[in-house]
Amino acid sequence: EAGVVQSPRYKIIEKKQPVAFWCNPISGHNTLYWYLQNLGQGPELLIRYENEEAVDDSQLPKDRFSAERLKGVDSTLKIQPAELGDSAVYLCASSSSLESQETQYFGPGTRLLVL
Amino acid sequence: SQQGEEDPQALSIQEGENATMNCSYKTSINNLQWYRQNSGRGLVHLILIRSNEREKHSGRLRVTLDTSKKSSSLLITASRAADTASYFCATARRGSNYKLTFGKGTLLTVNP
């Protein structure tokens, strides 16, 4: 079974530029998560989707961050414009209602560097 | 805010030794989970223990949970160099399996 796929793995941009991250969850997983992980910290939830609906986006900085999950499968997280402080690893995870959503499966992450 | 706090922040041991990491949390939980993260990679789920369980085993891993003290420990026995990674505890608050709150992690180094 393929795991959670994320692309790109690395991204370097200049501040004020836009950037987008893509995630393909495990097949059949209805719940998708985006996390932000700063250096030396644990991941922090940005947004959670149930199918195509964003059910928890309370931690998403909506002035510059946006996300979508069209058709309830793949998801894209966008930052526009990027700031220096956005340099971090962006992790995508998915889980299944068949497992009571208890276990989240993480992708390898996208490491963003904003110059 | 960080729900789980791991202790120690860093641990260095020799191959074959046991490694113990601790996690403390603040609120009532549904379950507590441990994840491993190798350098530059995503998190891998290791083991989950529910609030009504006290101990759980998986291979060389042993997890304990003390809800009265709001603490958990992860024991890795007979460590290997490949166990070198950061280990995170994550808690799912009571009433929600979805929202995991992670600690800052323990960096384990196993020297060959």
Side-chain angles (χ1 to χ4, degrees), chain A residues 37-42 87-89 111:
Chain A
Q37 185 177 21
N38 287 306
L39 187 64
Q41 304 290 318
S87 295
V89 177
R111 187 175 297 272

Side-chain angles (χ1 to χ4, degrees), chain B residues 46-63:
Chain B
L46 295 177
I47 194 166
L48 178 151
I49 187 165
R50 296 186 177 85
S51 59
N52 62 350
E53 298 175 316
R54 292 296 167 259
E55 187 171 314
K56 209 162 183 180
H57 297 255
S58 176
R60 293 185 295 115
L61 305 179
R62 172 178 170 256
V63 171

Side-chain angles (χ1 to χ4, degrees), chain A residues 17 19 21 36 38 61 64-65 79-90 112-114:
Chain A
Q17 294 300 306
V19 64
F21 314 123
L36 164 70
N38 287 306
R64 297 184 299 107
F65 285 66
I79 309 175
Q80 182 171 10
E83 297 179 352
L84 296 177
D86 296 331
S87 295
V89 177
Y90 293 82
L112 174 67
L113 178 60
V114 182

Side-chain angles (χ1 to χ4, degrees), chain A residues 9 31 33 35 37 40-45 48 50 56 58-59 91 100-104 106-108 111, chain B residues 1-2 31 33 35 37 39-45 48 50 88 96-105:
Chain A
R9 292 293 312 276
T31 305
Y33 314 76
Y35 286 87
Q37 185 177 21
Q41 304 290 318
E44 297 181 43
L45 180 68
R48 172 171 65 92
E50 292 291 336
D56 183 357
S58 57
Q59 301 302 313
L91 295 164
S100 302
Q101 311 285 10
E102 286 183 324
T103 300
Q104 296 183 22
F106 284 80
R111 187 175 297 272
Chain B
S1 63
Q2 297 287 349
N31 65 66
Q33 306 179 34
Y35 285 80
Q37 186 174 39
S39 178
R41 297 190 179 183
L43 282 83
V44 174
H45 183 264
L48 178 151
R50 296 186 177 85
F88 294 89
S96 172
N97 277 341
Y98 306 97
K99 191 161 188 174
L100 291 182
T101 305
F102 287 82
K104 295 182 179 181

Side-chain angles (χ1 to χ4, degrees), chain A residues 21-106:
Chain A
F21 314 123
W22 175 80
C23 172
N24 179 242
I26 292 174
S27 178
H29 281 196
N30 57 312
T31 305
L32 184 146
Y33 314 76
W34 282 103
Y35 286 87
L36 164 70
Q37 185 177 21
N38 287 306
L39 187 64
Q41 304 290 318
E44 297 181 43
L45 180 68
L46 289 173
I47 189 168
R48 172 171 65 92
Y49 281 93
E50 292 291 336
N51 300 306
E52 65 274 9
E53 181 182 0
V55 295
D56 183 357
D57 62 357
S58 57
Q59 301 302 313
L60 189 72
K62 299 181 182 63
D63 56 336
R64 297 184 299 107
F65 285 66
S66 65
E68 61 181 12
R69 191 184 185 198
L70 300 176
K71 301 182 181 178
V73 181
D74 295 359
S75 178
T76 302
L77 178 68
K78 298 178 182 178
I79 309 175
Q80 182 171 10
E83 297 179 352
L84 296 177
D86 296 331
S87 295
V89 177
Y90 293 82
L91 295 164
C92 179
S94 67
S95 63
S96 169
S97 56
L98 297 179
E99 295 179 18
S100 302
Q101 311 285 10
E102 286 183 324
T103 300
Q104 296 183 22
Y105 298 86
F106 284 80

